[in-house]
Amino acid sequence: MKTLMAASALVLLAACATHTPYGPARSDGAAGYTSQKIEQGRYRVSYTDKDAARSHDMALLRAAEITLQEGADWFEITGGYTDQDAGSAGPRSSVSLGGSRGSYGSGVGMGVGIGIPLGSSGSDVTTVIDMVTGKGEKPDRPTVYDARSVDINLRGNAP
């Protein structure tokens, strides 16, 4: 029985420690990317993850993918922000009271519990990027990225 409980705990801990594979978010607020075409050559891209740096990098990777899919060469970030959900960091406590009544009598019980989150059950970070795509020579501005270079350099960071 102790072996089964230890094995279950290890599986649970391993599941908490893994990153969600790079890909589209399965629902609002879930890990992954979302993309919205605003108008021709203009998009809003977001990426949600537990890690802020990874969230930013994967949003840039998605921007590069869209740029290349459109047949463009570069993209410029025209705006954006990072949003961090408060999440559930740190221990939590609870007190509960319950009662029951049955054919063998009735009873009242009270319980006190403390929960400690395991792994990366902290807050979600969402990076949102507003971008425009362009063809030809890349403008010399710090907000402009070469899509092929971004794709090559960041694709290796995607799980």
Side-chain angles (χ1 to χ4, degrees):
M1 183 67 164
K2 287 183 180 179
T3 306
L4 179 61
M5 287 176 43
S8 297
L10 284 174
V11 169
L12 180 63
L13 187 59
C16 292
T18 60
H19 283 290
T20 302
Y22 176 78
R26 297 183 189 257
S27 62
D28 285 344
Y33 64 75
T34 62
S35 309
Q36 180 182 13
K37 187 173 187 173
I38 306 299
E39 60 184 24
Q40 187 61 37
R42 184 176 298 271
Y43 294 84
R44 175 165 290 151
V45 174
S46 70
Y47 197 91
T48 300
D49 194 80
K50 299 281 184 202
D51 180 79
R54 180 176 149 72
S55 173
H56 184 262
D57 286 352
M58 296 302 101
L60 286 173
L61 177 58
R62 181 62 185 148
E65 286 177 341
I66 289 171
T67 302
L68 295 172
Q69 288 170 358
E70 223 182 58
D73 302 310
W74 52 265
F75 64 94
E76 182 170 13
I77 297 176
T78 59
Y81 59 91
T82 300
D83 185 31
Q84 187 162 2
D85 183 17
S88 58
R92 300 220 185 254
S93 61
S94 65
V95 177
S96 60
L97 178 65
S100 67
R101 183 183 213 167
S103 58
Y104 294 104
S106 61
V108 174
M110 183 170 156
V112 176
I114 296 176
I116 300 172
L118 299 173
S120 59
S121 63
S123 58
D124 287 330
V125 178
T126 301
T127 300
V128 179
I129 294 174
D130 292 329
M131 59 172 274
V132 294
T133 61
K135 293 181 180 180
E137 189 174 331
K138 178 177 86 84
D140 188 23
R141 293 189 293 273
T143 55
V144 180
Y145 295 82
D146 179 87
R148 281 181 192 30
S149 293
V150 170
D151 188 69
I152 289 167
N153 292 323
L154 295 181
R155 179 130 341 253
N157 297 339

